[in-house]
């Protein structure tokens, strides 16, 4: 008997809208390999309908006082906390990450909503009295209009919430184009926003692929685009959006290094590498994929790291004992397997081989899932592709260097500059590392230094295209434009025309 697939639709102008393009994509549970749904892939016309709904809703929403917009965010925050586990289960069912990790993802998204609740304070401008005789000058920030977010599969709740809470609180209307790999959470968030009192059309969801992406990039009514994904696509989004006159922030790929100094606590460093390298099956833009082992630390660290890698609890994500779940899709599994094959061919020493993992160990019904264990390479060199390229899977490469200077030079020479970490007990090493490293987000004895909601997320070099980071105060600036107002009143205006540049008098 054929099991019916759940249709996953668009959300436009406050209601679910069935797909009309005739194009669809299967949605799969990575743990079992079973197809659980079918998501519609929007046509240009469907994207246009979403943008028109957002444009129609913009004037009234932009005129809504910030304190009233904040009240909607507060209600949304309450609903998110109430439905936190429901969202986490949706993530695990379609992405595969373990349930506790999915709960953490939702929590970090909630942090951004909490930040956005402060929008009345965040939108305050500056005022200067008497900049010249009888003249006052002040600045304010106003919303852009319709803005859009294009988000990846690996964080179907958190990354959209890097974008839309701040954008909406600031007075914009929003069109979200989530990944078709795990689209259901986007619709549940739309429902919760409506329940929170958000007016119809302020938040819309179009499911889709490149057709939808290009339609958003080219649409004249979309004023800004936020993107998170791979570097080639981020580059494309940035160039295409800019060419069409849009403000763009495009966060790209990464190859995050963790430096372990000889004085580091070995057990703590191993814990950090295991969690940051294999958590979420390495499918994080902040995952540690390279361990830079300084001096003699490799000989003391690797035996413990290897043992932990071989004993990872790779299980169905709904099993609360799971440390790592499946790979997100069969295609991703094949790509990661290809990189492991390549690493062996390039001459790296394969210490732990994730390809040999037996899926039967993952749990009942998991035989056809996209399973893989943790892979650990030693003696990786900078000329190898497994060092240079983003693998986006549970593959950790160890590079040995003699001292801190060579570690810093190695990392600074890489094309990516998203996140980095250094484990040490030496305060001077930590200070110099933080100052000299050419990376946007730095952790000292913190393996995944994702900034909190009131700071802002973004890398350097080819990990970020655009001038502003995601969320935090830079997020507010990205989704608003500054206006300066100068005024004086007739009683203070002198007689006669002035033909020179105005100056303070």
């Amino acid at each position: 008997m054929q099991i019916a697939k759940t249709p996953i639709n668009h959300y436009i102008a406050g209601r679910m809208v069935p797909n009309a393009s005739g194009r669809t994509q299967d949605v799969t549970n990575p743990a079992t390999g079973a197809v659980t749904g079918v998501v519609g892939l929007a046509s240009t016309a469907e994207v246009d309908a979403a943008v028109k709904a957002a444009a129609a809703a913009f004037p009234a929403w932009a005129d809504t006082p910030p304190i009233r917009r904040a009240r909607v965010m507060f209600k949304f925050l309450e609903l998110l906390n109430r439905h936190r586990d429901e969202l986490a289960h949706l993530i695990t069912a379609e992405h595969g990450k373990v349930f506790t990790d999915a709960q953490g993802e939702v929590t970090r998204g909630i942090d951004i909503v909490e930040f956005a609740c402060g929008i009345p304070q965040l939108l305050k401008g500056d005022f200067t009295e008497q900049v010249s005789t009888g003249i006052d000058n002040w600045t304010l920030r106003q919303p852009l209009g319709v803005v859009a977010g294009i988000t990846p599969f690996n964080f179907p709740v958190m990354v959209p919430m890097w974008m839309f809470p701040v954008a909406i609180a600031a007075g914009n209307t929003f069109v979200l184009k989530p990944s078709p790999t795990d689209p259901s959470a986007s619709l549940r968030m739309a429902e919760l926003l409506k329940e929170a009192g958000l007016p119809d059309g302020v938040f819309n969801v179009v499911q889709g692929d490149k057709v939808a992406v290009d339609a958003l990039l080219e649409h004249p009514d979309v004023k800004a685009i936020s993107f998170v994904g791979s570097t080639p696509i981020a580059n494309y989004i940035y160039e295409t959006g800019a060419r069409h006159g849009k403000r763009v922030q495009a966060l790209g790929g990464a190859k995050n290094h963790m430096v372990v100094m000889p004085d580091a606590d070995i057990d703590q460093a191993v814990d950090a590498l295991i969690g940051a390298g294999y958590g979420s099956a390495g499918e994080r833009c902040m995952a540690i994929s390279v361990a830079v082992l300084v001096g003699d630390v490799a000989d003391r660290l690797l035996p413990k790291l290897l043992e932990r890698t071989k004993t990872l609890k790779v299980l169905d994500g709904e099993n609360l004992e799971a440390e790592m779940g499946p790979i997100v899709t069969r295609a991703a599994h094949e790509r990661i397997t290809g990189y492991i094959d390549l690493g062996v061919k390039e001459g790296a020493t394969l210490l732990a081989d994730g390809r040999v993992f037996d899926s039967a160990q993952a749990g009942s019904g998991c035989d056809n899932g996209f399973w893989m264990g943790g892979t650990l390479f030693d003696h990786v060199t900078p000329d190898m592709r497994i060092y240079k390229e983003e693998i986006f899977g549970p593959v950790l490469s160890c590079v040995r260097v003699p001292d801190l200077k060579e570690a810093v030079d190695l990392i600074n020479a890489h094309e990516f500059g998203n996140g980095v970490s250094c484990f040490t007990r030496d305060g001077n090493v930590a200070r110099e590392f933080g100052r000299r490293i050419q990376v946007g987000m730095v952790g000292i004895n913190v393996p995944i230094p994702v900034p909190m909601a009131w700071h802002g997320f973004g890398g350097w070099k080819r990990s970020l295209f655009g001038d502003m980071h995601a969320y935090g105060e830079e997020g507010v600036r990205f989704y608003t434009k500054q206006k300066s107002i100068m005024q004086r009143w007739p009683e203070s205006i002198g007689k006669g025309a002035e033909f020179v540049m105005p100056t303070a008098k």
Side-chain angles (χ1 to χ4, degrees), residues 342-350 377-380 384:
L342 178 63
V344 173
K345 183 178 179 181
E346 288 181 314
T349 303
L350 183 61
F377 280 109
D378 189 16
H379 299 292
V380 175
M384 294 179 181

Side-chain angles (χ1 to χ4, degrees), residues 101-141:
D101 188 26
Q103 287 177 308
E105 173 185 340
V106 178
T107 298
R108 289 304 296 264
I110 287 173
D111 289 348
I112 311 298
V113 180
E114 290 177 333
F115 173 79
C117 287
I119 200 66
Q121 171 70 21
L122 294 167
L123 289 179
K124 284 174 64 176
D126 298 315
F127 182 92
T128 304
E129 180 188 35
Q130 199 79 345
V131 294
S132 187
T133 303
I135 300 177
D136 303 325
N137 187 192
W138 68 92
T139 60
L140 50 86
R141 304 204 70 87

Side-chain angles (χ1 to χ4, degrees), residues 421-505:
S421 180
C422 179
F423 271 64
T424 181
R425 288 187 173 98
D426 189 319
N428 184 63
V429 166
R431 183 176 185 275
E432 284 301 298
F433 183 83
R435 292 186 68 240
R436 305 297 179 190
I437 208 72
Q438 299 297 307
V439 176
M441 293 171 283
V442 182
I444 304 299
N445 300 315
V446 176
I448 304 180
V450 176
M452 297 304 291
W454 51 94
H455 287 283
F457 183 103
W460 287 9
K461 298 183 282 191
R462 288 182 61 79
S463 293
L464 175 68
F465 297 82
D467 300 321
M468 298 183 191
H469 291 185
Y471 63 81
E473 292 188 5
E474 288 212 358
V476 176
R477 286 193 287 271
F478 179 78
Y479 288 119
T480 57
K481 51 193 174 185
Q482 179 177 292
K483 179 182 288 182
S484 173
I485 298 177
M486 265 186 158
Q487 76 170 19
R488 64 182 175 181
W489 298 98
E491 290 78 5
S492 64
I493 299 176
K495 293 182 179 180
E498 295 185 0
F499 295 96
V500 298
M501 177 65 68
T503 58
K505 297 178 182 178

Side-chain angles (χ1 to χ4, degrees), residues 132-386:
S132 187
T133 303
I135 300 177
D136 303 325
N137 187 192
W138 68 92
T139 60
L140 50 86
R141 304 204 70 87
Q142 293 183 323
L144 304 177
V146 180
V147 298
I150 301 166
T151 56
F153 73 83
N154 56 327
F155 289 102
V157 168
M158 185 183 74
V159 170
M161 285 205 281
W162 285 0
M163 304 172 186
F164 73 77
V166 175
I168 289 172
N172 301 282
T173 54
F174 202 91
V175 178
L176 173 64
K177 204 299 290 178
S179 169
T181 301
D182 41 15
S184 295
S186 63
L187 299 178
R188 190 67 185 109
M189 289 189 290
E191 291 174 334
L192 294 177
L193 282 165
K194 185 178 179 71
E195 187 178 344
L198 191 71
D200 293 346
V202 175
F203 181 76
N204 308 271
V205 179
V206 286
Q207 313 290 355
D209 54 7
K210 188 175 184 295
V211 172
V213 170
D214 287 342
L216 288 169
L217 288 170
E218 297 168 6
H219 202 293
D221 290 337
V222 175
K223 304 304 180 185
I225 297 278
S226 298
F227 170 83
V228 176
S230 69
T231 284
I233 305 302
N235 196 3
Y236 171 79
I237 295 286
Y238 181 72
E239 291 181 352
T240 307
R243 189 167 65 249
H244 286 87
K246 304 185 191 315
R247 185 178 290 189
V248 183
Q249 58 176 191
L251 283 66
K255 197 72 176 182
N256 305 311
H257 299 65
M258 183 175 129
V259 176
V260 183
M261 296 299 295
D263 70 328
D265 184 300
I266 298 299
D267 290 334
Q268 289 180 358
V270 169
D271 286 343
L273 286 168
I274 286 292
Y278 301 122
S280 200
E283 295 169 329
R284 296 169 172 159
C285 63
M286 287 292 282
I288 294 296
S289 51
V290 180
V292 183
L293 308 179
V294 178
D296 66 353
V297 77
D299 296 331
R300 293 180 283 125
L301 179 141
L302 278 172
K304 293 186 176 184
L305 182 61
L306 177 59
E307 179 61 26
R308 289 289 302 279
T309 302
K310 288 182 174 180
T311 56
L312 270 174
K313 296 178 181 178
V314 184
L315 301 166
D316 186 334
E318 290 292 348
N319 186 327
L320 295 182
E321 293 186 0
E323 295 174 332
M324 187 176 109
I327 305 302
V328 67
T329 63
R330 190 176 304 280
H333 188 281
E334 292 172 353
R335 175 179 50 77
I336 297 164
T337 298
Y339 271 109
I340 298 170
D341 296 342
L342 178 63
V344 173
K345 183 178 179 181
E346 288 181 314
T349 303
L350 183 61
L351 300 180
D353 187 352
R355 297 170 299 182
V356 302
F357 181 79
D358 181 1
S359 59
Q361 299 175 22
S364 176
C366 292
D367 291 354
N368 294 318
F370 316 132
W371 293 97
M372 177 179 288
T375 292
L376 180 63
F377 280 109
D378 189 16
H379 299 292
V380 175
T381 58
D383 60 313
M384 294 179 181
R385 284 180 56 193
I386 61 166

